[in-house]
Every structure is written in structure tokens, then in C-alpha cells.
Amino acid sequence: MINWFKKYTLYIMLILACILSAFIAFIYINKWLATPVEPVGMVPGQEELALSSGDISPSPDAEKEEAQKQEPETKVLCPLDGASLKELPARRPLAVMIDNHSRAHPQSGLREADLVYEMLVEGGITRLMAVYYHNSAEKIGPIRSARPYFIDRALDHNAIYVHVGQSPQAQTYFQEKKPAHLDEYSITKGFWRTDDREPPHNLYTSTDNLWQLASDYNLNQQVDLEGFLFGTEENVFNGDREAEEIVIFYPQQFSQVRYVYDPDSRRYRRFMGGKAHIDAETNLQLSASNVIVQFVNTKTIDGVGRLEMDMIGEGKALVFSRGMVKEVRWKKQKLKEATRYLDSEDREVVLEPGQTWIEVVPRDIRIDY
């Protein structure tokens, strides 16, 4: 055995030397591979951030989204209530006659209107006309009959006038001036009657039905729409004095209207006959951002007590907004143009964005404010 070891000592030493060299090489290479290499273009300390965040360059979609955020979105104001819209609706406004008799309360659809008119009819009571453009309502009514001076105001906004029947004077108006209108008497579809009230205080419709009817009768083309001037944060309504309450003494006690300003909502809460005027669908009190009282020449024209109200010309008006009142002048020179409300320097009055109620009244009516 000793002789064999002596004989192969050289070979054994060579094998052990190779094993030792391999082991040393393994240790060195492993240490070299374990040494971290900093990302190209970064300084020490940024590596952890880069590895944890992944690809730090924005994707094409991310770049597009960022550009859209930086680019301001185009907005237009609705000319009827000052609402900020992406674009104006490609349709025509609707002006719907709404019953305001005591048996018609509470009504539906008034809260959703862009604009509401109130005027006297025979018997010392008032009737309403709700105008819809960008807003819509699933139930509107009760619907009532036409009067010429309401049609005059629908033409302020190039609107489609909606009614059920008409006075003899309105019948002549339709024949001679041919305004766009939808009459339930001749159409019937798109309207319905409810069982909870007696006729004529139970006829209803919706904006979807009416715009569909308007399309069916080729009336729903987009029109140039005149409206009002609405304020911004820098340009707001400038009243002459405070006026937090308005009382309009219409002839019938039930029809007497009162508005009370609520500074928290910056709206005028509406009352009729000493009670809150309530919306049938929500049970909420009706209110307005602006109330305009417009005084016009008025006269009785027949034995029934039907009225004539002059909408062409000019005269006195009161604009209530933001708890203040401003005495102005109204002006309308021709039938198919909007009525303007002008200050003492002939500048258009700035209104608060939101729903406006326009009270068109005889010149001699009593108004407390």
C-alpha cells in the first residue's frame, strides 16, 4: 500500500490541486455575480425606486389621458337656465301648458323645467307654461288649453307649443300665424289620463313622448335659441336693494303667489294661497333662482272673461335674484324674438344660473316686496 502511494503521489497531488483551484474559482465567480449593478443613467439611491415602479416611461394611452386632463373641456351655457353643458341639445324646446287650478295641485314636471311662465286666464286664476330644452320630465301635467299670449311667449324661444284644445282667439291665432304646436285633441297618442282626478285636471304627457311626436310631425329640427344672460363668479346679479319676499296679489285668493328667499340655497321658495307649492312626484317645494315680474297692458275681450295681454312693446319689470331686486325695462320688438330685460343703461340684466319663473301681470296689479 505504501509503495502504491509513493508510486502515484504526483498524480494525487495534481488532482487535489485541481479540486482546490475549482473550489476557489467557484467562490470568486459566485461573489462577482452577487454584486448589484446600478441601472444605466441613474445615480446611487434610485435603484430601489426604479425596480419597484416598473417601466417609468408613460404609455401612449397614459400620455393621451394626461393631455386630456390638461386640455380644458369645452362647455356651453344653456340659454334658458345657464346650466353648463358639453353641447346644446340637437332638438327644439317644448312649451307645455299646465293647469294651475286648485283641483290640479300638486302638479308634475315643474321642477324639471328650464323655465316657467305664469299668467292670468279667465276667472282670476293663473295658468303655467313650462319650457323644456336640456332638461326632461317623465310626467308633466295636468295639461290645459291654449291662450294667444302664452303662444307669444313660446315664440320667444322658438318652442313647440303643447296644449289640449284652445280658446276661440287661440284657434284664430293657429290658423293665421301657424306656430308649431301639438294639440292632444287632434293627436291623442303620447298623452294619458289618470283616474285619481276628474277631467279636465287629469291629462299628462312626458318630454320623451313630446319630442317623439315632434319628430313624427317634422317639428323637432334644431333651432337658433335666444335666452338670457347668466352670471359667473366675477359677474353676478347686481340688485338695487334687498328683497327677500315677493307677494303677487292675483284676483283669486288661492292664486295669490308668495316667494320667500332662502339664503342657504340662494333660491326663492314658492307659495300659493298661503301654502307651499309642492311637486307631485317628489313632494318637495317648488323654488326659483330668479323671479321676474313683467307688467303688460291687459284687457278683457269677451263675456267669458278671456284676456288679451300685449307682449310686443316695452314696459316696466322687476327682477328678483340673490335676495335683491332691480327695477328694469322689458323690451320685445317683434313676435319671433326673445324678450329682453334691460337696466337703466340698456345693458341686459345678469341672472343667477338656475330655473327662472316669469310672472307676466297686468300693469295695475299689486306687488309687495
Side-chain angles (χ1 to χ4, degrees):
M1 181 69 179
I2 296 174
N3 292 335
W4 178 88
F5 182 79
K6 289 181 178 180
K7 183 178 179 179
Y8 294 102
T9 297
L10 180 61
Y11 297 105
I12 293 171
M13 295 297 291
L14 288 173
I15 293 171
L16 290 174
C18 290
I19 292 173
L20 180 61
S21 299
F23 179 75
I24 293 171
F26 171 78
I27 294 297
Y28 176 79
I29 293 171
N30 188 61
K31 183 178 180 181
W32 177 78
L33 290 173
T35 302
V37 180
E38 295 173 357
V40 176
M42 296 189 180
V43 297
Q46 288 186 321
E47 178 190 3
E48 183 178 352
L49 176 63
L51 295 175
S52 63
S53 62
D55 185 4
I56 61 172
S57 62
S59 67
D61 288 341
E63 290 177 341
K64 183 178 180 180
E65 289 174 3
E66 184 63 27
Q68 289 174 344
K69 289 179 182 178
Q70 294 176 359
E71 183 179 345
E73 187 175 7
T74 302
K75 294 283 188 179
V76 294
L77 296 183
C78 174
L80 299 186
D81 68 357
S84 181
L85 309 173
K86 290 183 179 180
E87 59 183 358
L88 294 179
R91 62 193 182 198
R92 200 167 179 178
L94 303 166
V96 186
M97 289 296 290
I98 296 183
D99 195 349
N100 202 29
H101 193 281
S102 59
R103 291 194 290 271
H105 280 225
Q107 301 104 322
S108 301
L110 290 172
R111 289 186 75 247
E112 290 78 18
D114 297 32
L115 171 69
V116 182
Y117 287 89
E118 181 168 28
M119 292 185 256
L120 278 168
V121 292
E122 55 276 12
I125 63 174
T126 65
R127 193 161 291 178
L128 307 174
M129 185 174 74
V131 182
Y132 303 88
Y133 182 43
H134 75 88
N135 284 321
S136 59
E138 295 181 357
K139 186 178 182 182
I140 307 172
I143 311 299
R144 286 306 301 268
S145 57
R147 298 294 183 271
Y149 42 93
F150 278 98
I151 310 171
D152 287 345
R153 299 316 294 264
L155 293 176
D156 269 39
H157 315 294
N158 214 338
I160 303 166
Y161 185 70
V162 181
H163 61 106
V164 51
Q166 58 275 317
S167 66
Q169 295 82 7
Q171 179 66 39
T172 301
Y173 191 114
F174 288 129
Q175 293 171 350
E176 293 180 352
K177 300 181 180 179
K178 303 186 185 307
H181 70 111
L182 297 170
D183 182 3
E184 190 270 345
Y185 272 1
S186 58
I187 295 173
T188 68
K189 71 175 183 177
F191 298 82
W192 69 88
R193 291 193 180 271
T194 61
D195 297 329
D196 59 337
R197 299 177 186 180
E198 294 294 325
H201 312 292
N202 64 342
L203 181 68
Y204 294 85
T205 186
S206 70
T207 51
D208 284 349
N209 287 2
L210 293 175
W211 274 310
Q212 182 58 56
L213 285 171
S215 296
D216 293 344
Y217 286 90
N218 198 29
L219 299 174
N220 201 23
Q221 64 273 23
Q222 191 168 9
V223 295
D224 292 331
L225 183 58
E226 294 186 79
F228 307 100
L229 179 63
F230 290 96
T232 62
E233 292 183 1
E234 297 80 20
N235 184 27
V236 299
F237 176 78
N238 182 23
D240 298 326
R241 65 176 178 85
E242 290 187 358
E244 297 186 346
E245 184 176 19
I246 314 158
V247 183
I248 305 174
F249 289 88
Y250 287 115
Q252 291 287 351
Q253 184 175 358
F254 170 80
S255 297
Q256 290 183 4
V257 170
R258 179 170 167 253
Y259 292 95
V260 178
Y261 184 67
D262 175 18
D264 292 334
S265 63
R266 296 208 307 214
R267 297 178 67 87
Y268 288 87
R269 293 182 287 118
R270 179 177 162 90
F271 298 81
M272 283 199 69
K275 298 179 181 180
H277 194 170
I278 300 298
D279 172 69
E281 305 308 307
T282 64
N283 204 36
L284 296 175
Q285 185 174 7
L286 299 174
S287 62
S289 294
N290 312 283
V291 178
I292 299 176
V293 180
Q294 178 180 342
F295 299 88
V296 302
N297 290 327
T298 306
K299 64 181 180 181
T300 303
I301 56 175
D302 64 16
V304 178
R306 296 187 181 96
L307 303 175
E308 181 180 281
M309 303 185 83
D310 294 338
M311 299 297 166
I312 308 297
E314 59 182 274
K316 177 184 174 182
L318 299 169
V319 178
F320 298 86
S321 187
R322 299 171 69 95
M324 297 180 288
V325 62
K326 190 174 189 64
E327 186 171 327
V328 301
R329 178 172 56 94
W330 68 266
K331 185 176 182 180
K332 180 178 170 74
Q333 295 179 315
K334 56 184 179 180
L335 187 59
K336 293 184 178 181
E337 74 173 18
T339 303
R340 301 295 181 188
Y341 299 95
L342 308 171
D343 65 15
S344 58
E345 299 181 8
D346 272 355
R347 296 173 302 190
E348 193 163 357
V349 174
V350 175
L351 299 180
E352 180 82 355
Q355 190 183 73
T356 298
W357 281 64
I358 300 180
E359 306 279 349
V360 183
V361 301
R363 289 183 182 273
D364 59 353
I365 199 168
R366 177 184 169 186
I367 308 288
D368 287 352
Y369 58 94

